[in-house]
Amino acid sequence: MEKDNIAVGLDIGTTKIVAMIGKKNEYGKLEILGIGKSKSLGVARGVVNNITQTIQSIQQAIVEAENNSGYKIKDVVVGIAGQHIRSIQHTDYISRNNPEEVIGEKDIQLLIDQVNKLAMLPGEEIIHVLPQEFKIDGQSEIKEPIGMYGGRLESSFHVVVGQASSIRNVGRCIQSSGIELSGLTLEPLASADAVLSQEEKEAGVALIDIGGGTTDLAIFKDGIIRHTAVIPFGGNVITDDIKEGCSIIEKQAELLKIKFGSAWPGENKDNEIVSIPGLRGREPKEISLKNLSKIIHARVVEIVEQVFAEIKAYGHEDPRKKLIAGIVLTGGGAQLKHIKQLVEYITGMDTRIGYPNEHLAGNSGEEISSPLFATAVGLVMNSIENSSQSAVRMELVNEQPKVVYRNPPTQPIQRYEVEENYVEKVETIEESRETVSQKAKDESTETKIRRSFFDRYVDKIKEFLDNAE
């Protein structure tokens, strides 16, 4: 039987950290096995600023995901964002020794490795080198060069660059949480994998992922990534504005935004008022929903205009670069009421809300299908592509058995109990060893793993008793 590739994605956001465990089912859809969420305490605008708090938040999310799924996580693919991310366009080429030889994967890898050696600004590091279109001996607009012939292989690249210290801090947090880092992915690329169809990428589309601390942009045309950007504003700035404008605490401001917030102020009537409980016996506060919408509207307009400036910088008005599929909104901020209409009004482009349910198995819960989890779903898909076995079943994990002694350690051990599923009853240590070796022939690999651990544990007990004598 083919072994399932269990994939794990970890989305380290400004407001929340999500650990997601999944695998592909027989229909090629993503089946989510477990999900863990925790409040993100050590991250500001996508950048780790408190390693200890971030480690605690990661561990909390990991443990919750493990308990929900019954799998022990070994390694994760992590999403990276933050205001330190920038992208550049670069063109490079290689000259091949034998033009009569077929162009293969190794030639493209050689070209990518060459781009990876580019000199960056001090303190910067290349995160992604994404090939766009290829040229072979002057023949342009080649999407798939493998299998062709030629002496000069040239390509344009979209290179994503980030601050080395920020990337290393994320790595340190992962390793200190007791798991390995198997890959880094730019968050807007992960979100794009989760919510965009291939048709949209071909036609031309701008994905806007409105998170808590940052708003990420990824533009696709002809199925190729053309532009990426990270704007250092997100849902948290809206919450801060509500907090200041209405003189209430942050928790109340967040609840107000989620329950009653709207990006379109004309919708609310003047007499619509919500009452907020006062602090420590103080009088309740009455807030007009029209004023609340005006505060939200002003900040959302600012965020959308900054994103639209990036879309203009890409050159979407050029007929060859036109984004026929318009804009797709995702992330927690996409759940704000009437944001779709506001984005359409400002940009004049068709807009839809992006849900990750297209790639999810039919039995996935409503919560997982939310735009809030688009990045996490994309990271799990990325991990599946790497074909990594990122988690194993809990019962396969060698955990320290609890030994309960019936007699004091100085006397011969007559009987002891080990955790269920390891061994039932053992009269003496030697007898247990014989029993294990006898049964080993007919046992499954899973049981053998447990038995071999038991052997080692028995040795340790014996050594301890010998020294005690």
Side-chain angles (χ1 to χ4, degrees):
M1 195 178 102
E2 194 185 328
K3 200 174 180 183
D4 284 330
N5 277 339
I6 308 299
V8 185
L10 184 69
D11 175 14
I12 302 176
T14 305
T15 49
K16 67 180 189 328
I17 289 176
V18 178
M20 196 178 270
I21 304 174
K23 66 171 184 178
K24 264 195 179 172
N25 66 11
E26 63 269 34
Y27 307 109
K29 294 287 185 184
L30 185 63
E31 188 183 327
I32 302 301
L33 302 169
I35 186 168
K37 285 196 311 270
S38 67
K39 191 171 168 57
S40 183
L41 297 172
V43 183
R45 292 193 172 167
V47 179
V48 173
N49 62 4
N50 186 321
I51 284 184
T52 310
Q53 285 186 329
T54 305
I55 291 166
Q56 286 170 356
S57 297
I58 290 171
Q59 285 173 334
Q60 196 180 326
I62 292 286
V63 167
E64 192 182 317
E66 288 178 340
N67 292 340
N68 285 346
S69 65
Y71 282 84
K72 179 80 180 164
I73 294 172
K74 295 191 296 179
D75 57 69
V76 292
V77 168
V78 177
I80 191 153
Q83 57 198 45
H84 61 94
I85 301 286
R86 69 183 182 95
S87 60
I88 53 173
Q89 293 296 120
H90 176 73
T91 304
D92 217 321
Y93 74 93
I94 55 164
S95 296
R96 301 177 70 239
N97 296 330
N98 185 3
E100 298 305 314
E101 197 179 292
V102 172
I103 293 170
E105 283 278 0
K106 66 176 192 301
D107 295 300
I108 292 166
Q109 195 54 51
L110 193 67
L111 192 50
I112 290 170
D113 291 344
Q114 196 164 293
V115 178
N116 270 309
K117 290 172 188 164
L118 274 178
M120 290 291 117
L121 293 173
E124 281 191 336
E125 207 171 87
I126 292 174
I127 301 169
H128 288 296
V129 173
L130 306 164
Q132 295 186 311
E133 282 162 329
F134 292 88
K135 255 188 194 178
I136 299 171
D137 293 343
Q139 183 190 340
S140 59
E141 294 184 10
I142 295 168
K143 287 187 180 177
E144 183 52 88
I146 292 172
M148 297 185 77
Y149 297 85
R152 179 186 164 108
L153 176 64
E154 190 178 335
S155 177
S156 55
F157 290 93
H158 184 76
V159 184
V160 181
V161 181
Q163 218 51 58
S165 57
S166 299
I167 297 164
R168 288 201 187 101
N169 281 340
V170 169
R172 284 190 193 107
C173 290
I174 301 297
Q175 286 180 328
S176 301
S177 303
I179 47 179
E180 290 299 313
L181 179 63
S182 63
L184 269 177
T185 301
L186 188 65
E187 291 199 351
L189 296 182
S191 304
D193 286 343
V195 303
L196 297 181
S197 67
Q198 192 55 41
E199 288 86 357
E200 283 176 319
K201 289 181 182 178
E202 288 287 344
V205 66
L207 176 86
I208 303 173
D209 184 345
I210 307 169
T214 59
T215 299
D216 306 331
L217 171 71
I219 296 175
F220 292 84
K221 179 75 178 170
D222 300 325
I224 297 163
I225 180 84
R226 300 292 182 183
H227 187 74
T228 51
V230 177
I231 286 102
F233 299 110
N236 284 3
V237 190
I238 301 169
T239 306
D240 286 343
D241 285 359
I242 298 168
K243 186 177 85 172
E244 298 300 324
C246 301
S247 302
I248 53 177
I249 61 170
E250 192 176 334
K251 191 178 176 185
Q252 292 172 336
E254 184 67 24
L255 277 170
L256 258 186
K257 181 181 79 174
I258 293 165
K259 286 199 163 189
F260 303 102
S262 167
W264 201 264
E267 188 225 8
N268 297 110
K269 296 181 180 72
D270 292 327
N271 61 352
E272 285 182 311
I273 285 168
V274 63
S275 182
I276 303 265
L279 296 174
R280 287 266 176 170
R282 292 176 179 83
E283 289 294 309
K285 264 197 171 73
E286 289 191 339
I287 290 159
S288 157
L289 289 189
K290 198 171 190 75
N291 286 342
L292 176 69
S293 293
K294 280 178 180 173
I295 292 167
I296 294 170
H297 174 80
R299 183 58 83 175
V300 174
V301 165
E302 188 187 343
I303 293 169
V304 175
E305 280 178 346
Q306 286 215 34
V307 175
F308 194 40
E310 287 286 347
I311 295 172
K312 283 176 180 169
Y314 154 74
H316 82 295
E317 285 161 353
D318 181 334
R320 288 171 302 170
K321 293 183 173 183
K322 195 176 179 188
L323 304 177
I324 297 164
I327 289 171
V328 176
L329 295 172
T330 193
Q335 297 179 113
L336 188 62
K337 215 196 289 183
H338 298 119
I339 193 165
K340 171 185 175 291
Q341 289 84 340
L342 181 64
V343 172
E344 281 181 341
Y345 177 74
I346 292 171
T347 63
M349 297 165 77
D350 286 341
T351 305
R352 75 170 178 91
I353 306 295
Y355 299 92
N357 49 7
E358 187 189 330
H359 301 284
L360 293 174
N363 60 352
S364 301
E366 197 179 312
E367 187 194 25
I368 296 164
S369 304
S370 158
L372 204 67
F373 296 113
T375 304
V377 169
L379 291 169
V380 174
M381 289 168 68
N382 195 286
S383 182
I384 285 172
E385 279 171 29
N386 295 348
S387 303
S388 55
Q389 186 68 22
S390 299
V392 290
R393 282 197 176 277
M394 286 284 197
E395 57 259 34
L396 290 178
V397 179
N398 295 333
E399 291 186 329
Q400 193 82 346
K402 292 171 188 168
V403 179
V404 182
Y405 292 100
R406 296 296 189 198
N407 297 303
T410 48
Q411 295 176 17
I413 296 173
Q414 297 301 314
R415 185 180 297 172
Y416 59 89
E417 290 176 3
V418 183
E419 271 184 9
E420 206 178 356
N421 297 330
Y422 277 83
V423 71
E424 288 169 9
K425 283 186 180 179
V426 185
E427 293 303 321
T428 63
I429 291 166
E430 292 305 324
E431 189 183 315
S432 74
R433 277 184 171 165
E434 284 166 25
T435 312
V436 169
S437 60
Q438 186 64 39
K439 287 182 182 177
K441 292 169 190 173
D442 311 312
E443 283 169 345
S444 65
T445 311
E446 186 179 322
T447 321
K448 281 178 185 172
I449 291 168
R450 296 182 197 152
R451 298 293 184 199
S452 64
F453 175 77
F454 177 71
D455 275 355
R456 290 201 303 276
Y457 196 74
V458 165
D459 285 340
K460 281 184 184 175
I461 297 170
K462 198 164 186 189
E463 190 184 335
F464 168 75
L465 293 173
D466 288 345
N467 292 339
E469 286 168 10

